[in-house]
Amino acid sequence: MVRSLPRPLLAVVIALPVALALAAVVLAITLGADAERPVPPADDAATPLAVAAVPAPQASSPDCARLLGALPDALRSGPRQLDRRPLADPAPAGTAAWGPTEDPAVLRCGLDRPAELTSTASLLEVNGVRWLHLPDPDLPRATWVAVDRAVHVALTLSEATGTGPLQDVSTAIGATLPAREIRPAG
């Protein structure tokens, strides 16, 4: 007499291999899809960053050279760090950049006085440096212009970057460029 297995045990004996085979198929499909998906290129901090030139008549001044030499290798941005990037040729004079290619922080030294700097302009003081905030109406980026030094220095970055880069650059500006009275427009 042949004894049969109890129904619950028989169901497990049949269902277990089927479930394992199904799991193996799903895993193979998932891993195969990942293998075919292109891997985006790494954003290497050593890769030169292309930066557009802008009018900066004092970019080659001794003041800008001193500031560029004093800038940090990295800027703080919340919990992350923005590493300084080499610039692609032709690199504009008086320029430095940090962070990822798609959203870098870019510093330009030696710019003309911004037209927005009027006697009623609102300024923010950070680490002893007075900044004029110029938001970009079309992008979530802004430019901050240091307006109380012999040369105007602009730092353009994402609004989401936070205040760390502005603080770090203010420290470098304060250490290299003496403060001066803001000249009235005209």
Side-chain angles (χ1 to χ4, degrees):
M1 168 172 188
V2 176
R3 266 185 138 187
S4 64
L5 294 172
R7 282 192 174 167
L9 185 58
L10 183 60
V12 169
V13 168
I14 293 172
L16 187 59
V18 172
L20 287 173
L22 195 58
V25 169
V26 169
L27 185 61
I29 290 171
T30 303
L31 291 177
D34 285 345
E36 293 172 12
R37 191 173 303 144
V39 176
D43 193 14
D44 183 11
T47 303
L49 183 67
V51 177
V54 299
Q58 296 179 13
S60 297
S61 70
D63 285 334
C64 287
R66 242 186 350 269
L67 174 60
L68 289 176
L71 291 171
D73 290 334
L75 301 177
R76 293 171 291 136
S77 177
R80 63 188 187 130
Q81 172 178 300
L82 304 175
D83 293 323
R84 190 156 176 186
R85 299 285 298 272
L87 300 179
D89 288 327
T95 304
W98 298 262
T101 301
E102 71 278 355
D103 198 15
V106 178
L107 178 135
R108 291 181 168 90
C109 183
L111 302 172
D112 284 325
R113 176 190 175 95
E116 297 86 351
L117 181 58
T118 64
S119 60
T120 59
S122 179
L123 302 178
L124 174 68
E125 187 167 324
V126 178
N127 294 349
V129 177
R130 297 182 74 192
W131 294 91
L132 175 65
H133 182 229
L134 304 173
D136 185 326
D138 300 324
L139 297 171
R141 294 182 65 74
T143 297
W144 293 86
V145 183
V147 295
D148 64 343
R149 307 296 150 150
V151 292
H152 292 105
V153 179
L155 180 63
T156 302
L157 45 88
S158 167
E159 292 277 19
T161 302
T163 61
L166 198 59
Q167 293 171 16
D168 292 342
V169 169
S170 292
T171 299
I173 290 173
T176 57
L177 303 175
R180 67 179 185 122
E181 188 174 326
I182 300 171
R183 294 175 288 161

